Amino acid sequence: MASGNAIRGGRVGSGPIRPDERCVPAPARAVTYWCANGHRVEPTFAADAAAPARWECPRCGLPAGRDEQAPPRRPRSEPYKTHLAYLKERRSDAEGAAILAEALRKLRQRRGEE
């Protein structure tokens, strides 16, 4: 008896080395993109599919564009805003005071203080 392996030379998930003779691969084309760090990316798309204007660089994560001389700029990072900062953008101080006064009035009314 052999070493106990019934399937020799195979591994889980392995597939055929070359495409099946009965199938024809879809026509494809490579599109070149460049990021601000000078990295070149060449994803492959179907020949009849429209290539996107931007692609994410797999090396640095920056956006990459089709023009090597003028790649997209680095995205601006927005500073972290607290809930209060967003609230102050939506409401003026006068509106906030009016809402607070209304809430206090309802609370006092519920407690029977008014």
Side-chain angles (χ1 to χ4, degrees), residues 4 21 24 58 63 67 76 92 101 105-107:
E21 289 84 18
V24 178
D67 187 5
R76 281 187 45 206
S92 68
R105 186 188 63 73
K106 286 181 180 179
L107 180 64

Side-chain angles (χ1 to χ4, degrees), residues 16-25:
I17 294 178
R18 58 185 166 77
D20 190 12
E21 289 84 18
R22 294 175 288 173
C23 70
V24 178

Side-chain angles (χ1 to χ4, degrees), residues 57-74:
C57 177
R59 290 182 64 190
C60 62
L62 292 176
R66 308 271 309 267
D67 187 5
E68 182 179 10
Q69 304 305 320
R73 294 182 184 172
R74 296 174 188 266

Side-chain angles (χ1 to χ4, degrees), residues 15-46:
I17 294 178
R18 58 185 166 77
D20 190 12
E21 289 84 18
R22 294 175 288 173
C23 70
V24 178
R29 63 184 168 98
V31 179
T32 307
Y33 294 90
W34 288 271
C35 72
N37 288 338
H39 301 140
R40 180 180 170 170
V41 182
E42 276 194 56
T44 304
F45 298 99

Side-chain angles (χ1 to χ4, degrees), residues 75-81 86:
R76 281 187 45 206
S77 60
E78 295 290 328
Y80 175 77
K81 287 187 184 178
Y86 283 111

